[in-house]
Amino acid sequence: MTDETVLVTGGTGYLAGWCIDLLLARGYHVRATVRDRSRRPVVAAQLPAGHPTARLTVVEADLGSDAGWAEAAAGCDFVLHVASPFPAVPPRDPAALVGPARDGTLRVLAAARAAGARRIVVTSSSSAAASPAGPRPDPITEDHWTDPGHPPARAYVRSKTLAERAAWAYAREHGMTDRLTVIAPGTLLGPVRGRPSYSLSVVERLVTGRMPGLPRLGFPFTDVRDVAALHVAAMLSPEAAGERFLAAGPFHWIEDIAAILRGQPGARVPSRRLPGPLVRAAALFDPALRQVVPELGEEFRFATGKARDVLGWNPRPLADTVLDFARSFVRARSFVRARSRVTA
């Protein structure tokens, strides 16, 4: 046990839930934020049954408002800023997503600075490095930055890129670069608790049979548990001060995920490939699919040697991540259906 307190933003989120779980298991006091006080019970509900919650406090603070952040950060030794808007349907105006992500990050940094937090770990995204102006590098490293004006850059990618840029600029302006660390994970996957995150939607469709075929899409899938562990390592490591770490798993096509899932209980996985033109046509009626159409056929690799060498990151095999997701997702769906039958 320790008397140190960690603020975790976006307490109901997928990654935040695993960060909270790990921090409580290691004996920290955890203060989690939610946008609305009605969401407070969700934070504890996402933890394993019987998990000690006496050291967990949930407070209200919205990234879109100054209210609540000073109180949320007061007395905190560390801050994990995990929260970021990630809508299922992209906004018509990218500024609607960029503003809350960038301004919310600055609100958290200002509150953490005023509170005297020793380390602030900001969750960015590997997509903030993946699309620089000109040819895509191979591999992509921490030295690369996405050009937010690049036409294919989705609103979410722009928001993560500009929010991270703003975080570094703020840290330099206020002489606190040594208190900031950024983790840029790949596409999160792994066990789910409660309602699955939108970031899992592609694999969720494979499991449920809602994907009629396999588009030529791929992602740097990364286990959510490994990313949570990396956040805590970055929080504590003196060597992480002022550093940016890519935490993206090896690139895998959706076909690779389907091969792992095929034959698993409850999974209805397609085997035929969907031609690109058909995917683009379907995207006209599917906003979620529309977000990834620019990435059809695109393959890219990230260098993760820095996270491994400096923070000892050792991500688990993809098959373990995929199967743990599938099993937990089937259990979660069964639980929700059973509850629906009881309350109907």
Side-chain angles (χ1 to χ4, degrees):
M1 295 293 180
T2 174
D3 289 332
E4 294 176 320
T5 300
V6 185
L7 176 67
V8 181
T9 67
T12 60
Y14 184 41
L15 175 57
W18 283 99
C19 290
I20 293 168
D21 184 350
L22 182 57
L23 290 165
L24 290 174
R26 294 193 180 185
Y28 287 94
H29 293 279
V30 177
R31 192 177 300 158
T33 68
V34 293
R35 292 193 308 271
D36 187 285
R37 66 185 61 192
S38 66
R39 301 281 288 164
R40 288 179 180 178
V42 178
V43 179
Q46 292 185 147
L47 297 172
H51 203 296
T53 57
R55 289 178 163 238
L56 173 64
T57 305
V58 184
V59 298
E60 184 178 1
D62 191 318
L63 292 178
S65 169
D66 292 334
W69 287 109
E71 295 80 4
C76 288
D77 301 276
F78 307 101
V79 174
L80 303 187
H81 177 41
V82 185
S84 188
F86 195 167
V89 178
R92 292 182 180 274
D93 181 5
L97 201 57
V98 170
R102 180 194 56 223
D103 298 344
T105 295
L106 294 177
R107 287 187 173 97
V108 173
L109 285 173
R113 172 173 166 259
R118 304 200 302 271
R119 177 66 53 81
I120 305 105
V121 182
V122 170
T123 310
S124 184
S125 168
S126 60
S127 63
S131 301
R136 175 177 283 144
D138 185 23
I140 299 159
T141 73
E142 284 86 359
D143 294 330
H144 297 117
W145 284 89
T146 286
D147 176 6
H150 193 29
R154 293 178 282 129
Y156 173 74
V157 174
R158 294 182 190 181
S159 74
K160 297 302 286 185
T161 303
L162 293 172
E164 187 188 344
R165 287 283 201 186
W168 287 117
Y170 182 93
R172 288 191 296 270
E173 178 185 351
H174 294 280
M176 54 180 285
T177 303
D178 60 340
R179 293 162 63 186
L180 176 64
T181 302
V182 168
I183 304 295
T187 303
L188 295 179
L189 191 59
V192 296
R193 296 167 176 166
R195 186 176 181 179
S197 163
Y198 170 71
S199 66
L200 303 168
S201 60
V202 173
V203 183
E204 178 188 338
R205 291 184 183 199
L206 280 177
V207 174
T208 58
R210 292 193 295 124
M211 187 176 287
L214 303 172
R216 190 62 172 167
L217 277 172
F219 303 94
F221 290 103
T222 315
D223 195 292
V224 65
R225 296 165 292 187
D226 296 332
V227 176
L230 193 61
H231 275 68
V232 177
M235 178 184 91
L236 298 173
S237 170
E239 291 77 17
E243 298 291 343
R244 184 191 200 204
F245 295 93
L246 283 172
F251 181 91
H252 287 282
W253 297 107
I254 290 296
E255 293 175 28
D256 302 326
I257 306 298
I260 296 171
L261 288 170
R262 197 165 288 118
Q264 291 298 310
R268 301 191 299 276
V269 182
S271 56
R272 69 187 182 106
R273 182 181 291 184
L274 290 177
L278 183 58
V279 176
R280 291 184 176 88
L284 297 174
F285 308 96
D286 187 335
L289 190 58
R290 198 178 308 144
Q291 294 196 70
V292 295
V293 160
E295 296 168 9
L296 276 172
E298 292 287 325
E299 184 174 1
F300 42 91
R301 296 187 304 124
F302 293 90
T304 56
K306 184 176 177 180
R308 295 171 187 269
D309 295 342
V310 177
L311 298 177
W313 194 48
N314 185 27
R316 65 200 74 201
L318 177 69
D320 292 353
T321 300
V322 172
L323 293 178
D324 286 348
F325 164 76
R327 293 166 187 147
S328 65
F329 179 70
V330 169
R331 285 196 300 270
R333 291 186 81 210
S334 299
F335 176 72
V336 170
R337 287 173 177 171
R339 263 191 17 176
S340 298
R341 286 195 294 269
V342 170
T343 57

